[in-house]
Every structure is written in structure tokens, then in C-alpha cells.
Amino acid sequence: MKLGSLRLFLVLFVTVFIFSCDRQKVKESGETTTPDQQFDALKATLLEKLWRLNPEWATSVGYHKYDKELVIVTPQRIADEVKSYESMRRDLHQIKLTSLSQNNQTDYRMLDDFLDGRIWYLTVLKPVEWNPAEYNIGNGVAEILNGRHDSLTNRLRSISFKIEHVVPYYEAAKNNLKNPTQEHTQLAILQNKGALTVLNDLADSVKIARLKPFEKDFLNSRIATAKTEINSYLAYLQNEKLPAIRKGQGRSFRIGKELFTQKFKHDIQSGYTAEQVYQKALAHKAELHRQMLALTQKVWPTYFPDKPLVPGLAGVKQIMSKIAEKHVSRDSFLIAVKAQIPQLVDFVNKKKLLTQDPSKPLVVRATPEYMRGVAGASISAPGPYDKSANTYYNVTPLDDYTAAQAESYLREYNHYQLQILNIHEAIPGHYTQLVYANKAPSVVKAVLGSGAMIEGWAVYAERMMLEEGYGNNAPKMWLSWYKWNLRVTLNAILDYSVHVLNMSEKEALNLLINEGFQEETEAREKWRRATLSQVQLSSYFTGYTEIYDLREEMKKKQGKEFNLKQFHEQFLSFGNAPVGYIRTLMLAKSAVN
């Protein structure tokens, strides 16, 4: 053999030998070989990158590796973040979707949808330029301070590092804001004032913590600096931005048809378009009115035995006004919420509607000040990385309401409607659904949640509970639910009408009060919410419609084999995936069985 041929032979031999050894190592180490294994490894990588880019979101789902980080939103940071998401998307597209299992195909689509959405938010919607409420250290600090994942001492150390950079944080906020809306500026003022109360709580915690003296000095100094910066930001918004906005230098809170349509696509992930949901909501409103008119005829003699029935919606409004008279006092509202939770637990167990987990605590509390200004009630649930943490049911106190406003609010959340609210927010609504989501085998399905699925489940739970006999089929309870479901329906109509059709405040209040039978305080709060959010108000009706349709489809498909408890538990087992994706998975399982 010639020398050149010998060298070539040796090179080929060594190459083949190394390749064989590497392949044997892969086999012995169990490294990824199938598309699903490759994708599982990629999911872990993408999620890690995601948490590094979004440390506060990571904290909120119980992933505390980046608690010390505070994101300074500069133009360069935004550009880098977009590049990161684009790179993540390219990595995702290296895997062939159809080569994956059904469950992983759903995760793939959810990741793809999320990355597209994030890029769109950063490059098209750009809320950092017009929403001053995007900037608030209160929530991130409070999440760590109120956590249970580590000792108070270590949590305070993380917070100390986090707020070290509060000066450039708020400086960047001022530099980014180009044309804020008046409504979001006022929200930012309210919520950043709430952040000051968080810092006061933080200072109290420092006193009792086992920090070293120099650590306490550092942290107290940083707390003082943070208060100064928040007050500076508040002054900037109050003394510079609000006057400029009133002179016409801000932008409208309305985002218009094009942006609304795009945002609906990214946020809702429905089989329907925004306009189709709007049209379906209009039709559903008419159906609800028909149902309420029929029940009003039955209930009328109970309240007005000596008066003739007032025809049309005016008669319904009179009945709903009488039903609203039965409510708790303003001082016992929070107490009443707490008292109803065990009753709901008992009903769900008795009817065997789904399996509950008593080991997951639900804590009813007054809404923290830094979270106020958007919704009267909400759920703050732990993420899949911190499943044992408390779930908080936030109920906003009526302290700031006048007597008339409080009475209006309490009439809205009267004896019957308060029960429906608790079904929606707590059991078997948001609280129950989010406990199930944390048990989903896929972290992706838990953290990249579909708002329409989450809100839709809570709305579906209301109707399902009444269908199963909650409230003893009392006409008053059903009328109250029709009104409540009408609220969900009008949310979608209002959302589209305000941002796409330029509905005025006067027109909105007329819709909510005279066609939705809402109290004035509730209606005005909903108008405010419509000015502060876009698309989110459409999520309730969209998700509810899709879930209820899926249940009826499964009942028809399975016939006598259909089991409501099994349907609920199977549906919830897929985490927070969009309803359309869950439908595909459930139908696939049904076909196999």
C-alpha cells in the first residue's frame, strides 16, 4: 500500500472508529435519538432562555433562578430580546412538527405561537412606548417577599440585588415613553403608589431578618433609593406626562381594527376571528334576552303581585333590581366570600364533578394595592415550579368607595351573583383549573397558557354548576346567571366596539346598564377596564363558547358512555392549552379508546 493510501486508510479508520465510539456513547448515555426526545431537550433549553429573558414571569411561576434580575428596558435590550426570540423560533423549526407525538405537537404549536406573539408585541404593538404601567417594581418585589420557596433572609438578599438597579430602571421608563395614553398613565400612578406600600412592607421585613448588619444597611439604602425613584416617576407622570397628554400629545387608548385583529389572533388563539366572535356575541345576547324575558314572566307575580307585567327589557330590569336588594354589607363582603368557599367544595364533591386537591391552599385576601385598579376580584396562582405555594383569591375592598358607590357595587354582587363570582374565581373555576394545570405533565402547557381557555373554563364552570343543581334551580339563581353570562357576552361586544367601532363611553354605559342590567358602578368600572385592556375582555365568551361546544360534541360522540367527571378531568389534564388544541387531543384519545 502506498504511503498516501495508507494515510487515507488510517484517517478513514480513525474517523469510523471515533464515530462508532460516539454512537455507542450516545446509546449508553441515553442521549436524545428520537424526534420526541430531541424536542423534549429543546423544550427545556427554550424554557430556560425564556426565564432568563423574563425573570419576573419566572418568579411568578415558581422558577427562582433569576429572582435577582431586574430587566432594564432599553432599545438595545428590546432589539436583543427580539433576536433571541427569532433564534429560538429557528431552533424550534429545525424539528419537523409531524414527526412528534400528539402531545408534543401541541407543545410545539404553543411555543411557536408564543414566540410569534412576543416578537409582535415588541416590534408592532410596543406597549413600552405608551403604557407607563409597564414599569413598576412592586409586583416583582412582592412576589419574592411573599414567597415561601426560601428563607426570608435569602429572599431579602435576592430583592436587594434586584432593586440595586432601580435608578436605570425608571430612567429607561422615562426615556421609552413617547406617547402614553391618559388612561394607562393614571393606572401607572395608582399602581406605583401601591409599590411604595410594598417597599414599606419590605423595610419591616428587614428589621426581623437574620441579615448581617452590613446587608441590612445596603438593603435599607436601596429601599430608600427605590422610594425616591418611584416618587420621581410619579412626579414625572403627574407633572409632565398628564399635562402634555391633555394638550393632545398622547395617543388614544383605542388600538384600531388592524391591531385588534392581530392581537386577538396572538392572544386568543381561537378558531374564530375577532369579528366572528363579535357577531356570535350579538346573537347570544339576543338569546339571553329571550331566556330572561321568559323567566321574568314567571317571577314577576312574586315581586309585583298587584302590578301588571312591564313588557320587554324594562320588566327584566325591574326584576333584576329587586333581586339585587338582597346583599351583604360593605364591611362583610370579604367575610361572605370566605364563607362560601367550603360550600362550593362540598357541592363539587357531592355531585362528583371532578376530583379536588385539599392539599393546595386557597387564601382569600384583600387585593394588594399594587395590583388594584383593573379588576375587583382575581386569582394569583403559583406556577408549576412552586406547586405547594398558596393560591390567593384577591378581593378588592370597598374602602375608597362612597356610600352610594359601595351600595351600587354590592347590589351588583348580590346574594346570588356573589355565589356565581366565587364559582368563577375559585371553585371549580380558576383556582381548581390552575391546580390541575400545575399537574400537567408538560410545563409548556402550564406556563404558556391560553387566556381564552382559562377564562372560558371559569365561565363554563358557572353554567355547569347550575345545570347540576346548584341553587336548586331557583328562577332567581338562573336569572342571576343569565345576567352574569350576559356580562361575559357584553364583554366581547364592548371590547370590539370600543377598539374597532369607536364606541363612546355614553354608548357603552347604555349597553351595559340597559341591555346588561348592570349597576352603574359596575358599568363604569367595565368601561374603564375596556380602556385599559385590549382583547382580554373577549377571552371569556370565546373560551366559554368553545368549551361548551366541545362538551356537547363529546356527549353526542360518546352517547351513554359520556361521563361528566371524566370529561372535566381529561379536559383539565392538558394544562392551559388553547381549547382547539385540547379538542384535537381529546378527540384523538376518544378515537383510540
Side-chain angles (χ1 to χ4, degrees):
M1 184 179 290
K2 294 182 179 179
L3 182 59
S5 299
L6 179 60
R7 286 175 177 168
L8 178 60
F9 171 77
L10 289 172
V11 169
L12 288 173
F13 174 78
V14 170
T15 302
V16 171
F17 177 75
I18 292 173
F19 176 76
S20 299
C21 291
D22 286 345
R23 186 168 57 184
Q24 183 63 27
K25 288 179 182 177
V26 167
K27 188 174 181 180
E28 291 175 355
S29 65
E31 291 181 15
T32 57
T33 54
T34 69
D36 278 309
Q37 289 174 321
Q38 293 170 5
F39 181 64
D40 286 340
L42 177 62
K43 277 194 291 186
T45 300
L46 294 181
L47 283 171
E48 184 65 28
K49 291 180 179 179
L50 189 61
W51 303 140
R52 189 168 66 246
L53 289 169
N54 301 275
E56 286 197 7
W57 182 16
T59 298
S60 72
V61 298
Y63 193 78
H64 296 286
K65 183 176 179 179
Y66 301 107
D67 281 1
K68 298 177 181 179
E69 303 299 323
L70 182 66
V71 174
I72 313 299
V73 186
T74 63
Q76 186 60 52
R77 161 74 194 200
I78 293 171
D80 290 344
E81 192 170 338
V82 170
K83 289 179 182 177
S84 294
Y85 289 131
E86 289 173 340
S87 174
M88 292 162 71
R89 189 171 58 181
R90 285 193 296 271
D91 290 343
L92 181 65
H93 291 172
Q94 292 298 310
I95 295 178
K96 189 176 180 181
L97 173 64
T98 54
S99 69
L100 301 175
S101 67
Q102 201 84 42
N103 266 301
N104 268 340
Q105 285 186 31
T106 301
D107 282 2
Y108 182 108
R109 290 190 175 98
M110 290 181 71
L111 282 163
D112 206 18
D113 292 343
F114 170 79
L115 294 170
D116 282 346
R118 286 301 297 160
I119 293 168
W120 180 82
Y121 264 82
L122 292 168
T123 60
V124 180
L125 189 63
K126 300 179 181 179
V128 295
E129 295 182 1
W130 51 264
N131 182 3
E134 290 273 312
Y135 308 98
N136 186 344
I137 66 166
N139 192 61
V141 171
E143 284 279 359
I144 302 170
L145 182 62
N146 298 329
R148 302 190 309 174
H149 59 281
D150 204 345
S151 67
L152 174 62
T153 300
N154 287 336
R155 299 202 311 273
L156 291 180
R157 284 171 178 151
S158 294
I159 293 173
S160 184
F161 280 107
K162 190 177 192 71
I163 65 174
E164 179 184 7
H165 304 292
V166 70
V167 175
Y169 175 86
Y170 278 108
E171 192 62 36
K174 296 173 186 177
N175 292 333
N176 291 337
L177 290 171
K178 297 178 180 178
N179 54 346
T181 77
Q182 178 171 312
E183 293 75 13
H184 291 93
T185 302
Q186 291 168 335
L187 177 66
I189 291 169
L190 174 68
Q191 293 188 336
N192 272 277
K193 285 180 178 179
L196 291 172
T197 67
V198 174
L199 293 178
N200 289 334
D201 293 341
L202 176 60
D204 290 339
S205 296
V206 174
K207 295 175 184 176
I208 62 173
R210 295 180 178 178
L211 291 167
K212 296 176 181 178
F214 79 89
E215 290 179 308
K216 287 191 175 186
D217 290 341
F218 269 127
L219 184 46
N220 283 322
S221 174
R222 288 167 181 171
I223 291 171
T225 300
K227 287 182 177 181
T228 299
E229 289 305 308
I230 291 174
N231 280 314
S232 174
Y233 186 54
L234 288 170
Y236 167 76
L237 296 177
Q238 291 169 321
N239 301 330
E240 293 186 38
K241 283 303 177 183
L242 277 181
I245 290 168
R246 289 168 184 146
K247 292 178 181 178
Q249 297 176 24
R251 61 163 282 173
S252 169
F253 64 83
R254 305 178 198 272
I255 63 173
K257 184 173 184 178
E258 184 177 355
L259 286 178
F260 189 91
T261 301
Q262 293 173 12
K263 194 171 191 289
F264 185 93
K265 173 180 173 289
H266 288 298
D267 288 5
I268 304 298
Q269 299 166 324
S270 170
Y272 301 118
T273 65
E275 188 169 357
Q276 286 172 333
V277 167
Y278 170 69
Q279 294 296 338
K280 287 178 76 69
L282 289 175
H284 191 59
K285 179 187 73 168
E287 175 59 27
L288 288 171
H289 281 163
R290 282 193 289 271
Q291 297 284 358
M292 295 184 82
L293 284 166
L295 269 182
T296 294
Q297 291 181 340
K298 293 181 179 180
V299 175
W300 185 268
T302 303
Y303 287 108
F304 305 105
D306 301 323
K307 291 184 179 181
L309 174 68
V310 175
L313 296 182
V316 177
K317 188 174 182 179
Q318 284 196 34
I319 288 293
M320 298 312 301
S321 180
K322 293 296 290 185
I323 290 174
E325 292 176 0
K326 186 178 181 181
H327 62 73
V328 300
S329 67
R330 69 185 294 172
D331 295 332
S332 59
F333 188 70
L334 191 64
I335 297 170
V337 170
K338 290 180 180 179
Q340 284 183 5
I341 302 303
Q343 299 169 16
L344 296 174
V345 172
D346 290 343
F347 184 86
V348 170
N349 288 338
K350 180 181 177 182
K351 292 289 184 174
K352 299 180 180 178
L353 301 178
L354 45 74
T355 302
Q356 301 187 85
D357 187 348
S359 70
K360 306 301 180 186
L362 174 63
V363 179
V364 181
R365 68 176 180 181
T367 306
E369 290 189 35
Y370 64 87
M371 292 175 60
R372 296 181 190 179
V374 180
S378 65
I379 288 287
S380 297
Y385 297 101
D386 192 15
K387 300 175 184 179
S388 63
N390 291 338
T391 296
Y392 292 102
Y393 182 177
N394 308 304
V395 181
T396 302
L398 308 183
D399 302 345
D400 295 333
Y401 283 9
T402 65
Q405 289 172 331
E407 175 64 16
S408 177
Y409 188 88
L410 293 167
R411 284 174 58 84
E412 184 68 30
Y413 293 97
N414 56 64
H415 172 74
Y416 301 97
Q417 300 243 142
L418 185 58
Q419 295 176 71
I420 300 171
L421 172 68
N422 289 330
I423 291 171
H424 179 102
E425 296 292 346
I427 297 166
H430 285 320
Y431 160 72
T432 304
Q433 183 264 319
L434 292 168
V435 168
Y436 268 83
N438 280 346
K439 295 179 180 179
S442 163
V443 174
V444 168
K445 290 185 179 70
V447 298
L448 300 186
S450 161
M453 181 273 170
I454 294 169
E455 295 296 354
W457 169 263
V459 177
Y460 162 80
E462 304 156 11
R463 177 172 180 175
M464 180 272 295
M465 288 281 279
L466 265 67
E467 287 176 337
E468 293 303 306
Y470 185 84
N472 299 316
N473 283 314
K476 296 175 188 177
M477 180 61 82
W478 272 106
L479 268 171
S480 296
W481 179 79
Y482 284 134
K483 175 185 172 179
W484 189 276
N485 196 249
L486 190 56
R487 177 195 294 193
V488 168
T489 307
L490 293 184
N491 279 353
I493 295 171
L494 181 70
D495 200 19
Y496 191 85
S497 298
V498 166
H499 288 284
V500 177
L501 305 178
N502 294 317
M503 175 181 271
S504 68
E505 180 178 3
K506 183 179 179 180
E507 291 170 329
L509 294 177
N510 179 65
L511 172 73
L512 298 173
I513 294 171
N514 295 321
E515 294 191 57
F517 318 112
Q518 295 178 20
E519 297 292 327
E520 183 175 348
T521 298
E522 174 66 22
R524 291 192 180 279
E525 287 293 327
K526 188 57 60 70
W527 163 258
R528 182 170 183 272
R529 186 169 166 186
T531 67
L532 293 172
S533 65
Q534 321 86 28
V535 171
Q536 195 274 335
L537 283 172
S538 298
S539 62
Y540 304 85
F541 178 76
T542 308
Y544 157 72
T545 301
E546 293 184 326
I547 293 170
Y548 197 84
D549 287 350
L550 173 60
R551 190 191 77 175
E552 296 307 291
E553 182 181 1
M554 296 296 286
K555 285 172 76 172
K556 185 176 180 181
K557 184 179 180 65
Q558 296 176 358
K560 294 181 180 179
E561 300 297 318
F562 179 81
N563 181 285
L564 188 61
K565 180 182 179 183
Q566 289 178 4
F567 170 79
H568 291 157
E569 294 182 349
Q570 186 183 29
F571 181 85
L572 294 176
S573 72
F574 297 112
N576 301 323
V579 180
Y581 295 166
I582 293 177
R583 177 181 178 275
T584 299
L585 292 168
M586 289 184 70
L587 290 176
K589 282 182 174 290
S590 180
V592 171
N593 296 334

